[in-house]
Amino acid sequence: MDGLPLFSHTFERRDPAHRKHGGNESSNLAHRKALGKKRYFYSRILILLRQAGSTGRTAKELARMLGVGFNQISGRCTELVQMGFVRRLAIRRDGSAVLIHRKY
């Protein structure tokens, strides 16, 4: 996917939870170890959100579509919002915020 190189320079530098754990080395190591799987989910989420267009999808919907638990997806969605690749709309569906690709 054309946006993947952005993940490497944006995300490898710093764990998005850095403020929570204050730079704890074991947390930083866990972040680096999980980075490959995070990138995989980033790309899958972005593809599904682009396909959804302006209708968007919730994290619950994305988890169901990817066949994984909500807990595996919700953090990646938050990180994509923080990086500016995804926008969170004010509307909710099934109790969850609707997410759209930044293109829409």
Side-chain angles (χ1 to χ4, degrees), residues 25-63:
E25 188 53 37
S26 63
S27 294
N28 288 333
L29 180 61
H31 166 69
R32 288 190 298 274
K33 196 173 179 180
L35 198 54
K37 196 164 197 169
K38 286 183 177 187
R39 284 191 189 129
Y40 168 78
F41 281 120
Y42 295 153
S43 65
R44 303 307 307 158
I45 290 167
L46 290 173
I47 289 168
L48 292 171
L49 290 177
R50 283 185 85 160
Q51 290 172 346
S54 59
T55 303
R57 300 189 194 282
T58 67
K60 289 178 186 177
E61 293 166 349
L62 291 166

Side-chain angles (χ1 to χ4, degrees), residues 71-91:
N71 61 322
Q72 286 185 270
I73 293 299
S74 63
R76 305 302 73 82
C77 291
T78 299
E79 292 160 0
L80 287 169
V81 169
Q82 290 171 347
M83 289 188 288
F85 290 99
V86 171
R87 291 188 308 139
R88 184 176 286 121
L89 300 181
I91 60 172

